[in-house]
Amino acid sequence: MEFFDTHSHYNDEAYDEDRKEIIEQIHKEGITKTVVIGYNIEKSKKAIEIANDNEFIYAAIGIHPSDIGKTEQEILLQIEKIKEILYNKKVVAIGEIGLDYHWEKENIELQKFAFTEQIKLANKLRLPIVIHSRDAIMDTIEILKGKEVPKYSGILHCCVLNKDLIQTGIDAGLYISFAGPITFKNTKNTELINIVPEDRLLIETDCPYLSPEPNRGKRNDSKNIKYTAQKIAEIRGKTTEDIAQITYRNAEQVYNIKNKKNL
């Protein structure tokens, strides 16, 4: 059984001591494709570096809402730096980008500006986007229904179980990706996973964060993606292998890497 982890952070400091070993392990365990997601300039460069060193790994580059500049001018300069590094065959998306009001609520308009400007960049490059939305459902919906919508699809990463957000994403032509939190015992509304069309469904780990049950609280890695797949299979009346195959095919489609070879 093969899995495609659509959202990982092997560019994170959590792997500085054993990054090479973990990457070798996940491939041996059936994770035959993953995308390492950037979230600022430094980590976007690191994502490309890791992708260049590992044939089965790809990169997304962008500025996370928690890493944007303090003015519109600073944000535009950040985007210019992203432009300088994006011309690499392993770059498959712009992300992660979006809105996060959990940690920062004083710069909401700047977050919206950074989000929409990076959507424009992705549209110009004909690349999908990877969307982060935390405690910002209504504004995310507003942007996805607005003028600067993603033209080349994208992913609602670690999508919260909110019917309006999921449906808006589907209507906007996006793919919906679920991670470890859907396995948590206190998670509600898991039945909403059923509203996602089969050809828009994705899975991810967001590692090193969000380890699923039964490894909640520990450092996450792509080997744990099987638990998320198992949960979705249980909810949708499928087998884990069914979900692995469906989400693998969808991930290749959204990232446009269907014809690229594995190791």
Side-chain angles (χ1 to χ4, degrees):
M1 194 174 352
E2 294 182 311
F3 291 97
F4 192 137
D5 184 356
T6 60
H7 194 113
S8 64
H9 291 293
Y10 292 107
N11 48 354
D12 192 274
E13 289 85 354
Y15 299 109
D16 282 353
E17 299 298 320
D18 59 354
R19 182 175 290 109
K20 182 178 179 180
E21 291 80 6
I22 290 293
I23 288 172
E24 289 176 353
Q25 286 174 21
I26 67 170
H27 193 259
K28 290 177 181 177
E29 290 288 328
I31 315 304
T32 54
K33 285 193 177 78
T34 186
V35 178
V36 175
I37 310 291
Y39 45 93
N40 56 35
I41 303 300
E42 176 190 356
K43 297 306 181 183
S44 291
K45 289 180 178 179
K46 186 67 176 179
I48 294 173
E49 177 188 324
I50 293 168
N52 284 338
D53 288 343
N54 297 275
E55 190 175 349
F56 76 103
I57 296 179
Y58 301 85
I61 60 175
I63 310 298
H64 185 282
S66 297
D67 289 85
I68 61 171
K70 296 182 179 180
T71 66
E72 289 187 0
Q73 187 60 33
E74 287 183 14
I75 291 168
L76 292 174
L77 287 173
Q78 288 178 313
I79 293 174
E80 285 301 313
K81 290 181 180 179
I82 287 294
K83 290 179 183 179
E84 292 173 5
I85 63 172
L86 62 80
Y87 293 103
N88 184 292
K89 64 181 181 180
K90 299 304 286 287
V91 173
V92 295
I94 299 298
E96 62 188 282
I97 64 177
L99 305 174
D100 192 320
Y101 301 165
H102 183 77
W103 299 113
E104 182 64 72
K105 296 182 181 179
E106 302 302 317
N107 66 345
I108 286 175
E109 293 307 313
L110 283 175
Q111 288 191 42
K112 293 179 182 178
F113 177 78
F115 188 15
T116 55
E117 287 299 311
Q118 290 182 95
I119 292 174
K120 291 178 186 177
L121 175 63
N123 287 344
K124 183 177 180 180
L125 298 168
R126 299 187 176 185
L127 287 173
I129 59 175
V130 180
I131 301 171
H132 172 101
S133 178
R134 187 176 186 188
D135 296 347
I137 290 173
M138 295 311 298
D139 283 352
T140 302
I141 288 173
E142 181 181 5
I143 288 172
L144 291 177
K145 289 183 175 181
K147 181 180 178 182
E148 298 299 339
V149 296
K151 294 180 181 178
Y152 298 94
S153 195
I155 300 168
L156 275 174
H157 131 73
C158 194
C159 191
V160 296
L161 294 169
N162 176 279
K163 184 177 182 180
D164 291 337
L165 180 61
I166 292 172
Q167 191 60 56
T168 297
I170 293 168
D171 293 344
L174 301 177
Y175 290 68
I176 313 299
S177 183
F178 297 108
I182 68 165
T183 70
F184 297 168
K185 295 176 182 178
N186 60 345
T187 297
K188 299 178 181 179
N189 301 323
T190 54
E191 74 278 358
L192 291 176
I193 292 170
N194 282 318
I195 72 174
V196 180
E198 187 171 283
D199 62 355
R200 301 287 190 85
L201 182 65
L202 296 173
I203 53 176
E204 63 174 274
T205 58
D206 198 23
C207 63
Y209 315 106
L210 303 180
S211 286
E213 300 288 357
N215 295 318
R216 186 175 183 180
K218 301 177 182 178
R219 186 184 72 169
N220 200 8
D221 67 59
S222 297
K223 297 191 300 295
N224 286 326
I225 202 167
K226 61 180 177 287
Y227 299 114
T228 300
Q230 287 169 4
K231 184 65 175 181
I232 293 174
E234 173 189 321
I235 293 166
R236 293 178 70 109
K238 300 278 188 177
T239 67
T240 302
E241 186 168 2
D242 288 337
I243 298 302
Q245 291 175 349
I246 290 165
T247 56
Y248 202 108
R249 180 174 64 245
N250 293 343
E252 288 185 322
Q253 185 70 32
V254 67
Y255 283 130
N256 195 28
I257 56 177
K258 193 170 184 179
N259 297 319
K260 294 186 182 292
K261 295 180 180 179
N262 297 334
L263 281 174

